[in-house]
Amino acid sequence: HTSGPSVTIFDLSLVANDVLENVTALLGRILFDFAVRSQPRAEHPLLLVLEEAHRFIPARQDPTGGSGRSASVFERIAKEGRKFGLSLLLASQRPSELSETVVAQCGTVIAHRLTHEADQNLLRHATALSSRALLDQLPGLAQQHALVTGVSTGVPVAILVRDVEDPPKSDDPDFINTWGN
């Protein structure tokens, strides 16, 4: 594209779980190889966004310390990708289920309400000492509120996420009113 940046979306939501790891590993490997081979280095910067990232980069569960094919590819991207212009943006409602290797490489963390203790502890260990006390606010954050810490802010900050004109239909179902009728 000569008119500016482009966005390509791979919607893998309908890919069966038994092949999802192979598909994501292949896509990650192709993008990493493209970034490594680009000359001059980082000429085509890429941001790879992984929604529900814990599905693609799970915490190690193999007792021998090995990880799955997909997790290995994305761990390598997290450790080496930036120098080739390939970065990751990870979104997960369960950060404790993410690979610790990848979480340790996160330069900036945007955390919304987290009530699970394991998720909170992971973020406490992954962030600077100065922001750990701020993370105690995570269980009580309101909708559209978040804490941002890391290289993008310099100091930890609380933010309010603005409304969008055409919001996604992502509200929780109103069970009580629906079941009460």
Side-chain angles (χ1 to χ4, degrees):
H1 297 274
T2 58
S3 61
S6 65
V7 174
T8 301
I9 298 173
F10 294 99
D11 181 358
L12 303 177
S13 61
L14 298 178
V15 174
N17 282 336
D18 59 335
V19 297
L20 183 63
E21 179 176 10
N22 293 329
V23 171
T24 56
L26 180 61
L27 285 172
R29 181 60 190 266
I30 289 170
L31 291 171
F32 184 74
D33 288 348
F34 170 78
V36 168
R37 291 187 172 102
S38 290
Q39 292 298 327
R41 181 187 265 192
E43 180 179 16
H44 305 286
L46 299 169
L47 174 64
L48 182 56
V49 179
L50 300 176
E51 174 70 29
E52 301 294 344
H54 54 272
R55 293 185 66 205
F56 313 115
I57 317 171
R60 296 178 190 260
Q61 298 188 0
D62 183 348
T64 63
S67 61
R69 189 175 297 118
S70 181
S72 294
V73 168
F74 291 114
E75 286 174 353
R76 184 170 183 203
I77 291 171
K79 291 186 282 189
E80 303 174 28
R82 287 184 301 272
K83 65 185 168 194
F84 301 109
L86 178 58
S87 298
L88 290 174
L89 188 155
L90 309 176
S92 176
Q93 293 182 35
R94 291 304 311 267
S96 64
E97 294 180 10
L98 283 167
S99 161
E100 288 183 28
T101 300
V102 173
V103 173
Q105 296 295 316
C106 291
T108 298
V109 173
I110 302 172
H112 294 267
R113 180 178 46 230
L114 287 174
T115 56
H116 196 273
E117 189 68 30
D119 295 329
Q120 295 172 30
N121 286 336
L122 180 89
L123 289 181
R124 279 190 192 92
H125 294 299
T127 59
L129 286 172
S130 63
S131 58
R132 288 186 184 169
L134 189 63
L135 295 178
D136 290 339
Q137 298 178 31
L138 285 174
L141 287 178
Q143 266 190 330
Q144 291 183 277
H145 288 75
L147 301 176
V148 181
T149 182
V151 297
S152 67
T153 61
V155 296
V157 294
I159 63 164
L160 173 64
V161 179
R162 65 180 166 83
D163 289 323
V164 294
E165 285 184 31
D166 187 20
K169 294 180 180 23
S170 62
D171 289 338
D172 293 336
D174 188 355
F175 290 107
I176 293 177
N177 283 335
T178 302
W179 290 344
N181 293 331

